[in-house]
Amino acid sequence: MNKFDYNLGVVGLGYVGLPLAVESANSKLSVLGFDTSSNRVEEINNGHSPIEDISDDELENALNSFFSTDDPTLLSKCHHIVISVPTPLTDYQPDLSYVEAAAKSVGENLVPNQIIILESTTYPGTTLEVLIPNLEKYSSLKAGSDFYVGYSPERIDPGNEEWKFKNTPKVISGINEESLNKIKSFYEQIVDEVVVVKGTKEAEMVKLLENTYRHVNIALINELAMLCKMLDIDIWEVVNAAKTKPFGFQSFKPGPGVGGHCIPVDPEYLSFKTRQIGKPVRFVELAQEINNSMPAYVVSRVNELLNSQDKILRNSKILILGVAYKKDISDTRESPSLDILELLIEKNAEVSFYDPFVKELTIAGQSINKESLSKNFHDYDMLLILTPHTEFSEIDFEILNNIVFDTTGSNFIKSTERI
Ligand SMILES: NC(=O)c1ccc[n+]([C@@H]2O[C@H](COP(=O)([O-])OP(=O)(O)OC[C@H]3O[C@@H](n4cnc5c(N)ncnc54)[C@H](O)[C@@H]3O)[C@@H](O)[C@H]2O)c1
């Protein structure tokens, strides 16, 4: 049996990989981080966390048993290796190039008895059809006997103070019993509860079910919000009352669209897989249509609200409050705010933004003016709230005479226009 220098190697140190590395180091495992971005590696080794969920202090503490590198050869020194690299869409298609590149780095440095776990979100079949063939090709070792493989979906929810990596049940799987037993023993050291599923395809599908469920339900409430507006019904009053039902109902909020890496992207991975058997996921397609139409709906409401005060969109000054895709984080990936800004710019509105977490923003090659919270907002025709960052509660909206359009259902201002 080999002697490994590190209990764990984490490939890809982002929103998923870094919390795993830090939590594992806190659980007294020795951890090696591997990332192709040397800037990120340097930042992390210097104790600067690139993500909000891990503070610099937390990272600093973990560094006693966590070291990062951009040298893939060190992966041969890790007993377990978790791959958490991006799985984006490119030209609306699943892009597994990062998983393939990670599998190459791991495969070229694979040694017998290592345990490889994929955590990137992907379509069912990726572990068996993409990861293992690459690992075997680059290592000339056999999965299931020379080395062990499994899949475990990540459930990290950036910004969630209650459900963190450790207390969120972890779904795990292995390609055979030996792999599963080893993977189970590993995760039991770092999370409170593991949930075993029978195969890697089921584990891959769990993640897609969870996110498709959210996608579809958000689309339902977005559609109802648009219909309620036409019927002069207050959707927020309806949702808040419905959610008092203690059983059989889970509330979802309308909003300006869906963002982040998961909700807009994962259902596409599911559709991609089912199209291979000639079947669309009809719920997903409808949900995509509705959620993707929300930015244009928001802009049409902006236009109406300006018109109601004898103003027009062209040359109106609009301050966007919040461009990240969710509250209190900096991630703008797939954020509907970006689409809304683009549409407003196309219609020649003068847009600025304020987001405490986002330093700068470029839309369609144009750098967007960043406002400060201390600024007097009276110059603006409209304040458009797209992300309910906690810091916005410091703004005294009630004394402002601008139009305030809140697409988020926050309680920053009582008398305002809502989605
Ligand atoms: N962000 C979330 O909330 C979340 C939640 C659950 C699951 N996921 C999934 O987890 C995976 C990772 O997402 P993320 O948000 O952590 O991504 P991220 O962009 O925050 O981080 C990915 C990291 O991987 C690095 N990387 C890219 N290619 C690499 C390679 N070949 N080898 C080593 N490092 C490489 C990048 O430099 C980056 O630091 C994705 O599949 C995503 O869908 C994300």
Side-chain angles (χ1 to χ4, degrees), residues 332-344:
T332 57
R333 286 179 299 181
E334 315 290 332
S335 173
S337 308
L338 309 182
D339 294 330
I340 291 169
L341 271 155
E342 195 164 344
L343 289 169
L344 290 171

Side-chain angles (χ1 to χ4, degrees), residues 72-119:
T73 61
L74 294 184
L75 290 171
S76 63
K77 298 178 183 297
C78 304
H79 191 184
H80 305 83
I81 295 180
V82 169
I83 300 174
S84 51
V85 295
T87 43
L89 293 173
T90 301
D91 296 331
Y92 307 102
Q93 295 289 318
D95 178 358
L96 291 189
S97 58
Y98 298 91
V99 172
E100 285 163 358
K104 182 171 187 280
S105 300
V106 175
E108 285 174 341
N109 298 289
L110 200 64
V111 295
N113 294 318
Q114 280 185 314
I115 299 146
I116 317 299
I117 306 150
L118 180 63
E119 285 205 5

Side-chain angles (χ1 to χ4, degrees), residues 303-315:
N303 192 31
E304 272 170 33
L305 289 167
L306 288 167
N307 291 169
S308 70
Q309 295 210 353
D310 296 328
K311 295 178 177 178
I312 55 167
L313 202 44
R314 189 182 182 83
N315 298 333

